Amino acid sequence: MKSVGFVILTWNSEQYISKCLDSILKIDSLNVYIAVTDNGSSDKTVEILKDYQAKHPNILVTYLKKNGGTTKPRNIAIKLLPKVDYIVVLDSDAFIDDKENFVEIFKVLDDHPEYGIIGPKLSNLSGDLQPSGRNLPRFRDKLAKVSLSKKRRKRAEERETVDYSKQPDLFPVGYLMSACWAFKFELINKIGYLDEKLFYAPEDVEYCARCWKFGLKVGYYQKVHVTHVWTRLSRKKLFSKHNFEHIKGLLYFRRHYNPSKIIVK
């Protein structure tokens, strides 16, 4: 039986983490491991995680004293895992609705070695589709998405948006939101871990751009579905630490990549 390791970050996630873990634990066609890094939660998240640890030896948790962002804590979680066949990066507010449907994504990875990362269709609790597979952004568009102008934010969002209705079940995209990524464990050996010079964002854009740089595609697979509540921290306050770190990350990404030179096909 093949194995999969789920990588999850928690930070004050008491509202959703149990549902997330329960949805993973239902998968019985693979050996499942769950590696969690808690980013210094101050609610009941730690208590919930310790309860799950006591009941499930396949759940491995690292508890940080303060919020370490996204890249370093995810790398910590990945390194907790044994050598598995597949890795799934999953947000703590995301749930696997149908285990049989979900595991199809691993067959797609096996059948399409040209793809480094594949992500499923995401929708929120109301069933609204989330634009998780996107065009690689221009720097000015990323900045516009955290601006005061609703008009600028909307235009930038539109330039990143892909029309899924005109695409086949599996098709390449510039990048995937890291709410749900699936990839083979061997991808880490090929392109490395997440870039810890990025505290928060755009770690998803950077890792997908790196995938393309190494000659591997990033794909959106419409036949697999995951529910994602989508707590958008960087949109709650314009002048916030999250937005500050996001802008720093954008400047870092701009220095290292030129999206216009990455051919997505």
Side-chain angles (χ1 to χ4, degrees):
M1 186 182 290
K2 290 193 173 183
S3 56
V4 56
F6 285 81
V7 172
I8 299 172
L9 298 186
T10 53
W11 181 70
N12 295 340
S13 307
E14 64 178 6
Q15 187 174 358
Y16 301 112
I17 186 59
S18 293
K19 187 172 181 179
C20 174
L21 295 175
D22 287 343
S23 74
I24 296 169
L25 291 168
K26 290 177 182 177
I27 297 173
D28 53 11
S29 58
L30 297 163
N31 287 323
V32 174
Y33 299 89
I34 304 173
V36 183
T37 301
D38 181 73
N39 259 331
S41 294
S42 57
D43 63 357
K44 293 182 179 179
T45 301
V46 170
E47 180 182 334
I48 294 169
L49 289 173
K50 288 183 176 179
D51 183 58
Y52 273 86
Q53 271 189 288
K55 297 174 182 176
H56 303 281
N58 58 333
I59 296 180
L60 314 165
V61 187
T62 297
Y63 299 96
L64 303 182
K65 293 182 178 180
K66 62 179 182 179
N67 194 323
T70 55
T71 54
K72 185 175 182 179
R74 275 183 175 148
N75 286 342
I76 288 171
I78 291 170
K79 292 171 184 177
L80 281 178
L81 292 169
K83 188 174 181 181
V84 291
D85 294 294
Y86 314 103
I87 290 178
V88 174
V89 173
L90 189 69
D91 275 4
S92 60
D93 60 350
F95 326 120
I96 295 167
D97 310 283
D98 183 331
K99 63 181 181 180
E100 281 78 17
N101 171 259
F102 184 78
V103 297
E104 186 179 334
I105 205 166
F106 305 122
K107 184 178 185 301
V108 175
L109 279 168
D110 289 339
D111 291 345
H112 295 273
E114 70 274 20
Y115 280 90
I117 305 172
I118 293 176
K121 179 171 66 176
L122 300 179
S123 62
N124 62 21
L125 293 172
S126 300
D128 299 320
L129 185 68
Q130 296 173 359
S132 53
R134 302 180 177 191
N135 297 317
L136 281 168
R138 296 180 299 178
F139 177 71
R140 65 181 184 181
D141 288 338
K142 276 293 187 183
L143 285 181
K145 287 169 72 175
V146 295
S147 74
L148 287 169
S149 169
K150 289 184 179 180
K151 188 175 182 179
R152 288 188 66 200
R153 292 200 301 268
K154 183 179 179 182
R155 286 180 177 174
E157 193 76 42
E158 288 172 349
R159 280 190 285 267
E160 278 191 46
T161 299
V162 174
D163 186 352
Y164 304 139
S165 67
K166 297 181 180 180
Q167 302 292 344
D169 291 337
L170 174 67
F171 62 93
V173 292
Y175 78 102
L176 294 160
M177 288 169 50
S178 58
C180 187
W181 284 351
F183 54 88
K184 291 185 176 180
F185 188 91
E186 63 192 40
L187 182 69
I188 300 291
N189 296 326
K190 289 181 180 178
I191 74 173
Y193 290 90
L194 294 165
D195 191 336
E196 294 182 8
K197 292 184 178 67
L198 294 167
F199 176 83
Y200 165 61
E203 91 293 349
D204 47 5
V205 181
E206 190 282 329
Y207 203 66
C208 290
R210 201 189 321 166
C211 213
W212 282 106
K213 188 176 179 179
F214 275 77
L216 292 167
K217 296 182 178 182
V218 176
Y220 182 86
Y221 188 57
Q222 303 196 74
K223 288 185 72 175
V224 170
H225 174 261
V226 167
T227 296
H228 179 222
V229 177
W230 205 11
T231 305
R232 305 182 76 178
L233 295 174
S234 62
R235 298 295 177 83
K236 288 184 177 181
K237 294 180 181 179
L238 179 63
F239 301 105
S240 66
K241 180 180 178 181
H242 281 98
N243 273 344
F244 175 70
E245 291 294 344
H246 198 165
I247 291 170
K248 278 175 59 181
L250 291 171
L251 291 169
Y252 177 83
F253 178 76
R254 187 185 188 188
R255 289 196 302 270
H256 289 80
Y257 295 91
N258 183 348
S260 65
K261 292 185 178 181
I262 297 175
I263 300 173
V264 177
K265 66 177 182 178

